[in-house]
């Protein structure tokens, strides 16, 4: 029996709106994945430490604050620095479409905007993790 996909869902920074993060965490769990939700106001260092400690396959970052460039770059950089660049980083939230290519170029696997069906994220993540093995 294959191992469950392990996903850390993170809310970095001071943004206190976590409904979207909780919706995706529940959808991933209901799809059979093991989900670790970090809670609000996490630093990039805390997010990366959790991902490594939990042996995560992926980190999902939820950002509504407009600080997406900073947090994606920091989390991806710290994962590389710690030798954990095999952990897939994806995200969602209120991120302008014109910023998505920058995030992909810095190493994010995907960025899902408001209104994306949870099934789209689930299927993408399953495929990304399988391809990454």
């Amino acid at each position: 029996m294959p191992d469950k996909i392990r996903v850390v869902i993170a809310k970095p920074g001071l943004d206190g709106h976590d409904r979207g993060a909780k919706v995706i965490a529940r959808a991933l769990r209901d799809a059979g994945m093991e989900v670790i939700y970090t809670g609000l106001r996490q630093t990039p260092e805390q997010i990366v430490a959790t991902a490594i400690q939990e042996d995560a396959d992926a980190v999902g970052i939820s950002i509504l604050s407009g600080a997406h460039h900073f947090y994606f770059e920091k989390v991806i950089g710290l994962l590389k620095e710690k030798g954990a660049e095999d952990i897939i980083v994806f995200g969602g939230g209120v991120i302008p479409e014109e910023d998505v290519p920058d995030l992909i170029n810095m190493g994010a696997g995907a960025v899902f905007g408001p209104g994306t069906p949870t099934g789209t994220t689930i299927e993408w993540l399953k495929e990304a993790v399988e391809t990454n093995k």
Side-chain angles (χ1 to χ4, degrees):
M1 184 164 138
D3 293 335
K4 282 187 174 185
I5 294 173
R6 295 178 58 86
V7 185
V8 170
I9 299 295
K11 279 295 299 180
L14 299 177
D15 173 17
H17 299 87
D18 65 347
R19 173 175 259 159
K22 288 179 177 177
V23 167
I24 197 65
R26 177 149 192 172
L28 296 174
R29 188 202 67 202
D30 289 352
M33 298 181 199
E34 193 165 333
V35 179
I36 302 94
Y37 175 54
T38 64
L40 294 170
R41 300 178 179 91
Q42 297 294 296
T43 66
E45 291 80 7
Q46 290 170 314
I47 293 165
V48 168
T50 299
I52 292 170
Q53 180 180 1
E54 294 290 342
D55 194 26
D57 296 298
V59 173
I61 303 172
S62 172
I63 299 179
L64 303 172
S65 66
H68 43 278
H69 281 103
F70 172 80
Y71 286 114
F72 273 83
E73 185 172 36
K74 190 73 171 166
V75 168
I76 291 166
L78 286 168
L79 286 169
K80 286 179 183 173
E81 184 180 300
K82 304 282 184 189
E85 60 271 3
D86 61 321
I87 297 174
I88 298 163
V89 177
F90 69 101
V94 181
I95 298 171
E97 288 249 350
E98 60 268 18
D99 291 349
V100 171
D102 290 340
L103 302 178
I104 300 296
N105 285 335
M106 69 176 63
V111 178
F112 301 98
T116 301
T118 55
T120 300
T121 305
I122 291 163
E123 290 309 311
W124 175 85
L125 188 55
K126 286 179 179 178
E127 187 176 313
V129 169
E130 183 59 36
T131 301
N132 201 36
K133 289 189 178 194

